[in-house]
């Protein structure tokens, strides 16, 4: 499986690390920059030398993913679970900052981004957020649900749960469920 990751020092001098994951995790090369033409040139050289890429691990389906698909159209893209949760935590924190700025209250980032099973002492603080900032709490619940989904081992079960998750993510936070309760009331 092929993986490409952008590297930088203080958000300058971007490079691209090309690696192989699976049984023999290793870096194949470091490209001088992360420009599309540089990456595409390397991938085309790989393809021209007879290398086939069956799977590609990406942070999300961004520009590099599109580039890999252009060179290797049959590639299976695997989204990196770490980066999915990292992005979800970033979005929860953005919502937290909006709520904090609008309300004047200090809202802990820690309680919202820490994994649920590792949070022991913050139950009261999370309950306060649930009561005071229901929309933020809904976003937190979606992030926690997503964490559970990326850990599922069964692909069919993960697809089903992801489908449910997408429906919940698109629904307004105050939407009532079958029992007449919102998600936050069910938690």
């Amino acid at each position: 499986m092929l993986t490409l990751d952008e590297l930088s020092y203080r958000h300058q001098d971007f490079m691209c690390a090309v690696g192989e994951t699976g049984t023999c995790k290793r870096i194949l090369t470091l490209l001088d920059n992360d420009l599309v033409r540089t990456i595409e040139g390397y991938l085309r050289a790989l393809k021209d030398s007879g290398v086939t890429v069956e799977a590609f691990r990406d942070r999300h389906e961004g520009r590099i993913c599109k580039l890999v698909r252009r060179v290797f159209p049959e590639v299976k893209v695997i989204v990196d679970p770490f980066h999915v949760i990292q992005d979800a935590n970033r979005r929860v924190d953005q919502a937290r900052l909006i709520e904090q700025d609008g309300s004047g209250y200090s809202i802990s980032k820690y309680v919202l981004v820490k994994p649920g099973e590792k949070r022991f002492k913050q139950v009261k603080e999370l309950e306060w957020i649930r009561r005071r900032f229901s929309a933020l709490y809904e976003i937190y619940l979606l992030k926690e649900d997503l964490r559970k989904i990326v850990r599922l081992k069964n692909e069919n079960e993960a697809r089903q749960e992801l489908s449910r998750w997408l429906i919940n993510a698109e629904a307004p936070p105050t939407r009532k469920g079958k029992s007449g309760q919102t998600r936050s009331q069910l938690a």
Side-chain angles (χ1 to χ4, degrees):
M1 181 184 331
L2 185 70
T3 182
L4 284 89
D5 207 355
E6 297 161 323
L7 308 170
S8 72
Y9 179 70
R10 295 186 184 175
H11 300 287
Q12 302 172 25
D13 304 322
F14 282 90
M15 299 173 64
C16 185
V18 181
E20 188 177 16
T21 61
T23 55
C24 60
K25 296 174 184 169
R26 62 189 175 121
I27 292 180
L28 299 174
T29 192
L30 289 174
L31 303 177
D32 292 336
N33 57 57
D34 69 338
L35 299 175
V36 169
R37 69 174 180 264
T38 303
I39 298 168
E40 185 170 6
Y42 177 79
L43 293 174
R44 291 205 182 277
L46 276 180
K47 186 174 185 172
D48 292 346
S49 70
V51 172
T52 59
V53 176
E54 296 174 3
F56 168 68
R57 175 175 270 183
D58 194 17
R59 293 180 185 201
H60 47 76
E61 294 217 16
R63 69 181 180 93
I64 293 179
C65 182
K66 291 175 186 171
L67 175 61
V68 171
R69 284 181 191 245
R70 190 165 57 230
V71 177
F72 298 99
E74 302 298 319
V75 73
K76 179 180 179 181
V77 177
I78 300 167
V79 179
D80 185 352
F82 170 80
H83 289 102
V84 169
I85 300 308
Q86 182 183 47
D87 184 59
N89 278 329
R90 189 173 17 257
R91 291 169 190 267
V92 167
D93 192 45
Q94 288 170 346
R96 177 190 70 85
L97 291 172
I98 290 168
E99 291 283 9
Q100 187 169 275
D101 289 346
S103 70
Y105 286 102
S106 178
I107 305 170
S108 171
K109 174 181 178 177
Y110 177 81
V111 71
L112 294 168
V113 299
K114 182 138 179 127
E117 66 274 2
K118 293 184 178 180
R119 191 182 334 90
F120 303 107
K121 299 178 182 178
Q122 296 82 24
V123 175
K124 288 181 182 178
E125 192 168 1
L126 192 58
E127 177 60 23
W128 176 78
I129 292 170
R130 184 188 69 77
R131 281 185 277 113
R132 184 82 170 95
F133 305 99
S134 61
L136 177 59
Y137 188 75
E138 293 287 328
I139 295 168
Y140 158 79
L141 290 176
L142 285 168
K143 186 263 306 183
E144 286 298 304
D145 289 347
L146 191 57
R147 286 185 63 254
K148 292 173 188 167
I149 292 168
V150 299
R151 291 193 313 248
L152 292 173
K153 301 293 183 209
N154 181 300
E155 185 177 342
N156 288 331
E157 185 180 356
R159 284 180 191 272
Q160 285 179 325
E161 291 302 317
L162 186 57
S163 179
R164 286 187 191 114
W165 185 89
L166 288 168
I167 291 167
N168 285 332
E170 290 174 354
T174 57
R175 189 178 123 260
K176 302 278 184 181
K178 290 180 183 176
S179 66
Q181 295 177 307
T182 63
R183 279 176 50 98
S184 60
Q185 289 171 326
L186 293 170

